[in-house]
Amino acid sequence: MDRKLPLPSIERLCALYGLLQRLAREGRLRISSRELGELIGETADTVRKDIGRLQTGNAGSAGYEPEALRQAIARSLGLTARRKACIVGLGRLGQAILQYTDFAGEGIEICAGFDSDVNKLELLSSGIPLLPSYRIAEYVRSEGISLAVLAVPPQSAQGAADRLCAGGISGIVNFTTPVAVPQGVEVRMVSVLEEFRVLSVLIEHEAGQSRS
Amino acid sequence: MDRKLPLPSIERLCALYGLLQRLAREGRLRISSRELGELIGETADTVRKDIGRLQTGNAGSAGYEPEALRQAIARSLGLTARRKACIVGLGRLGQAILQYTDFAGEGIEICAGFDSDVNKLELLSSGIPLLPSYRIAEYVRSEGISLAVLAVPPQSAQGAADRLCAGGISGIVNFTTPVAVPQGVEVRMVSVLEEFRVLSVLIEHEAGQSRS
């Protein structure tokens, strides 16, 4: 893959990847950059530029063939590798992610859940091992888990992140408060509150523009 | 606010806002752009540039005062407006967001939950109205709700989005499959699977660089 690919391009291409997968499943044979852009909230021009960064044939005026473009993105970004993941924090959010069944088809195997509340672990039923949090580092290392979802309360966030990093985790999707991690560990923050904030700014912006 | 502020800057400033709030609460009196950058996963230089876009005093070598910087961001971005929000889809994820209590202190009032399963609505207990989905458009309009979380199954996503848009919604945090919305409605996609994908690309990237 192109090592110079900037993060925003990676993000958009990953968004396109998921979208194209759905379109291919629905049997769509062609889609324009304009429609792709609308569906991921970007301009047609940005979509064309991102796709232009891939080592792939050009679309021309007839648009893109969804499945071919999806495969081109997968090859260019290296999305074909299989990865093991775990979920840390089994409250409602962690349970919701644990229930989500679409990961397996995407090469991502959720192979453990962790919670510090041993009583909760006994009450939950799951096809995968649910383990106490003190086992995080050991289990992540022994199973070769590279991805984690962090869904613990804020006061437990740094401690849980430290355990994941001690186990050699590579990437964390963080639903809780920001945490410090060693160099080389990638973190993606997910926060409804922050998304609300970004939306509020965009809405104000839009209102300001339509008034002017 | 600066109408030319690009989306990535808005996103980073919103991330900084949440972080600064936490730091101020913890009693931190000073923080450097380097440490701010580390905590939100950006370079010190990017942080300084974003802050430089605000109408605010400069930090100099002594770093920033968290509470003063937070207020400057709030003023510049217009984050002081109060907004009403609703949650559409009350599965585990929707319930987790419904339970989250930190919105109120942020000027965001979650004032309704919707689900198409009337039996579920009866079983859930909440301090706010939980209503059947066919009432979305009417209720969003009459209450002046501007923000929504979309947390329904994929097959219900477009229908629910259409109802929100019919009610005049301004912004949607979308946890489900991408939806088409009219011009002027802002959508922020949130997807664990997509975050896993972005992490996978970043990890491959990192591995490639350390091998080279």
Side-chain angles (χ1 to χ4, degrees), chain B residues 33-46:
Chain B
S33 49
R34 190 187 50 76
E35 194 180 344
L36 284 174
E38 274 171 15
L39 285 168
I40 64 162
E42 304 284 346
T43 66
D45 197 47
T46 302

Side-chain angles (χ1 to χ4, degrees), chain A residues 12-107:
Chain A
R12 288 189 297 260
L13 286 167
C14 285
L16 278 181
Y17 179 93
L19 173 62
L20 290 164
Q21 199 165 40
R22 184 168 64 91
L23 292 170
R25 221 178 277 139
E26 291 170 7
R28 272 291 284 274
L29 296 176
R30 283 278 150 190
I31 187 160
S32 66
S33 48
R34 189 187 51 76
E35 193 180 345
L36 284 174
E38 273 170 18
L39 286 168
I40 64 164
E42 305 284 346
T43 66
D45 197 47
T46 302
V47 167
R48 276 193 300 269
K49 273 187 197 148
D50 285 335
I51 294 173
R53 293 171 185 273
L54 308 174
Q55 291 86 41
T56 176
N58 205 305
S61 57
Y64 303 96
E65 201 271 281
E67 178 56 19
L69 182 55
R70 187 194 67 76
Q71 288 177 15
I73 294 174
R75 273 194 310 273
S76 293
L77 296 188
L79 279 174
T80 46
R82 299 191 66 79
R83 294 197 175 274
K84 289 184 176 180
C86 67
I87 297 166
V88 181
L90 299 172
R92 278 202 171 81
L93 175 63
Q95 289 177 44
I97 299 168
L98 200 61
Q99 278 197 317
Y100 186 74
T101 52
D102 282 9
F103 293 123
E106 299 294 320

Side-chain angles (χ1 to χ4, degrees), chain A residues 154 177-179, chain B residues 17-28 39 70:
Chain A
T177 196
V179 292
Chain B
Y17 180 93
L19 173 61
L20 290 164
Q21 199 165 39
R22 183 168 65 92
L23 293 169
R25 221 178 277 138
E26 291 169 6
R28 273 291 283 275
L39 285 168
R70 185 193 68 77

